[in-house]
Amino acid sequence: MSRILALAALAGLAVPALAAAPPAQFGSDHDDPRTATPPPATDGLPACTVEVLRHGFTSFEPARVTLDAVRACPGPWSKVVLRIDGEVKGRQYDRIGHVAIGGVTVFRTSTPEPSRDGIAWHVEKDVSAYAPLLATPQPVELHIGNVVNETYTGVFDMRLQLRFHPADATHPAADTADQVLALDALHEDGQDTAGNLTLAPDTERLLAEVYATGSGGGCEEFWYFATTADGYWCHASQGPYREVQVLVDGRVAGIAAPYPHIYTGGWSNPFLWYAIPAPRTFDIAPIRYELTPFIGLLNDGRPHEIRFRVLGLESGREGWKLMPNVQVWRDPKGQRVQARLLQAELGEVARDGDLDAGDPQQQRMLYRWQRRFVARGEVKGSRGTVQTTVERSLEGDLHHRWTQDEDGDDHLLAEWRDLQTLTRIPKGGSAATETLDQRFGLDGALVTAKVDGKPRLTTTLDIHDDAKRTEASAAGTRSSLTRDRFTGTASYTSDVPREQRNATARSRQVWRREDDGGCQQRSIASVNGYFVEDESGCKASP
């Protein structure tokens, strides 16, 4: 059934029928995992498909090939779509992986945990922004770090494809940077990740990306649980405050709020994720920073340090992986640009909170924080003079309650906001503004109760991931709103053999997008690992 599902999805066919009567609890098998997130829209365009590689992962050694995309699928391309298909069975943890082209990470993912009988899944991502990498033959690496032994038997059989959709009269070539670059001498420096960038003198726009993930099963995988209370399993002097920064030659050039990723073994309850993973689990999105105001500090032909850092970490604590790249737009006439930084201001972190840890059976912490950053710069090239202003403000608001006993309960209500406004003003022209307003968070609980004398763990989660984009210029205003909502609860008896856990779960995901052209929505739901709902079509906003 799993292979049939993968082939059906690839061919655009209907997915298998829904379960008429789901089982009363989990058994040795369940439906293949899926998400409500739609694949990249291709408007029915034909595609040239390249089978890049297929590999069974049993270790931390990556699979490597060399790809000559232009020879296989001549451009120009209107869109490039990456597709990963995976199969695994037996027993295995969730694992983190990525795809790198020419040394640049273009896709970051985590895997589902398998059933004994085996599962298959797939994920697609629009990677058109990285098309400049594919203009020449490039090494391609697929990493899925895995351990296989007598206990953990699951081998991840992974297949990587790239689909190239050619440009035509109504579908122009993808609008991308001229160059996508890996940093030179990229290395980890303590808790930071740093490398060098030598910028072309005709650079007129600069963007940095970083895939930032806390993982490894320790405190930093669940950094949003951190408290300042002594004795709590995830203690941090700055509590749950985390901020991802980019620095240029030691100077802060951008700030961002990290996303609270939940992998398929997360929240002590893999049963919750067997059918539907949490948002962004299969497709981990990068953080983007507009660095155009800083071009005047970088375009002298010399190497400069670009550094990425997670603030809020305890000294010596590990757990974060930062995988960056930079994207460069160059003057269309090759003219050396004149650039200067006009303003760069980083506000202080404004914190407000309260810790009440006097009663071991009723501890709580309220924690709020804010930070603001603004940068403004000017670039003068063959297109004239353009002033670029970047404003970014971050907010975090967390309410945490827990008990300190061995089978203690945890309740967390958390929300983050990451608001960025980019304004470009050409000399003698009118301003163009792009705003990205991201709001994401969760309301969850881990509760243990005695049932027939044995501890039974129940995990409940409500996750939201919203993004509103607005573009305003003299030509008018365009906007879109994307909302991704997951709700679910799962229970199992712990401290017993796996076959005696009597696990149950219910989960639901609703993905919705509204824009000037209308709306798109899909909702899916599962009971005990089997899908009972899969519907598309716009309804009332959830």
Side-chain angles (χ1 to χ4, degrees), residues 382-432:
S382 66
R383 303 178 199 259
T385 301
V386 178
Q387 189 176 108
T388 300
T389 302
V390 180
E391 299 174 89
R392 199 156 188 172
S393 59
L394 313 178
E395 299 176 14
D397 188 352
L398 296 94
H399 301 238
H400 190 175
R401 295 182 293 114
W402 71 96
T403 58
Q404 280 282 33
D405 51 1
E406 184 176 352
D407 293 323
D409 299 341
D410 250 312
H411 301 260
L412 180 65
L413 175 63
E415 183 167 42
W416 294 264
R417 186 182 187 190
D418 187 329
L419 174 62
Q420 177 176 250
T421 300
L422 172 64
T423 304
R424 297 185 181 92
I425 306 176
K427 188 174 183 179
S430 56

Side-chain angles (χ1 to χ4, degrees), residues 70-368:
V70 173
R71 183 176 180 180
C73 301
W77 309 303
S78 66
K79 186 166 290 187
V80 183
V81 176
L82 178 150
R83 175 169 173 135
I84 291 280
D85 288 270
E87 295 186 12
V88 63
K89 66 178 180 178
R91 189 176 185 185
Q92 192 54 263
Y93 285 117
D94 50 324
R95 302 296 186 178
I96 296 289
H98 70 274
V99 175
I101 299 176
V104 173
T105 299
V106 302
F107 175 68
R108 188 100 166 112
T109 188
S110 68
T111 68
E113 293 194 6
S115 68
R116 187 189 313 162
D117 296 343
I119 57 168
W121 78 102
H122 75 275
V123 58
E124 298 182 23
K125 178 184 178 180
D126 185 342
V127 292
S128 303
Y130 305 110
L133 288 169
L134 298 164
T136 57
Q138 295 286 358
V140 178
E141 296 185 350
L142 173 58
H143 297 245
I144 300 287
N146 194 24
V147 173
V148 175
N149 53 34
E150 293 180 356
T151 302
Y152 298 101
T153 59
V155 176
F156 289 100
D157 184 7
M158 308 297 293
R159 176 187 179 193
L160 169 61
Q161 294 178 318
L162 286 171
R163 297 204 303 268
F164 298 87
H165 297 268
D168 61 20
T170 56
H171 300 86
D175 184 11
T176 71
D178 296 301
Q179 295 175 296
V180 180
L181 304 174
L183 295 177
D184 295 329
L186 185 67
H187 65 285
E188 294 183 357
D189 182 11
Q191 296 170 322
D192 298 351
T193 296
N196 295 326
L197 173 66
T198 303
L199 202 61
D202 61 350
T203 299
E204 65 174 14
R205 184 186 174 196
L206 183 64
L207 179 77
E209 276 190 346
V210 63
Y211 291 83
T213 52
S215 60
C219 181
E220 290 305 313
E221 180 172 330
F222 308 99
W223 52 270
Y224 43 86
F225 270 110
T227 77
T228 57
D230 292 335
Y232 187 74
W233 68 271
C234 184
H235 175 272
S237 59
Q238 298 191 64
Y241 164 64
R242 300 291 183 274
E243 177 185 313
V244 185
Q245 293 186 343
V246 58
L247 298 89
V248 172
D249 288 335
R251 182 174 193 166
V252 175
I255 63 174
Y259 185 81
H261 294 103
I262 302 176
Y263 310 115
T264 56
W267 280 61
S268 302
N269 207 327
F271 296 99
L272 184 57
W273 317 112
Y274 278 143
I276 306 174
R280 304 200 198 189
T281 298
F282 287 170
D283 184 1
I284 295 170
I287 295 169
R288 294 184 172 92
Y289 304 91
E290 185 70 40
L291 296 184
T292 300
F294 295 87
I295 289 176
L297 305 181
L298 297 168
N299 67 343
D300 57 4
R302 301 172 183 172
H304 293 266
E305 183 190 73
I306 308 295
R307 178 176 291 265
F308 295 86
R309 173 177 295 164
V310 179
L311 296 190
L313 294 179
E314 293 293 275
S315 177
R317 178 176 289 173
E318 298 180 351
W320 283 86
K321 186 68 176 179
L322 306 174
M323 309 180 78
N325 69 73
V326 292
Q327 300 176 25
V328 178
W329 285 257
R330 302 176 70 170
D331 186 277
K333 296 184 178 180
Q335 177 178 319
R336 181 185 183 92
V337 306
Q338 299 175 3
R340 56 181 180 146
L341 178 65
L342 302 174
Q343 178 187 13
E345 296 180 9
L346 176 66
E348 295 293 327
V349 180
R351 294 184 175 90
D352 178 30
D354 178 51
L355 172 67
D356 182 357
D359 182 355
Q361 297 303 312
Q362 192 176 1
Q363 303 194 341
R364 68 178 184 88
M365 185 181 73
L366 306 180
Y367 194 96
R368 302 180 184 92

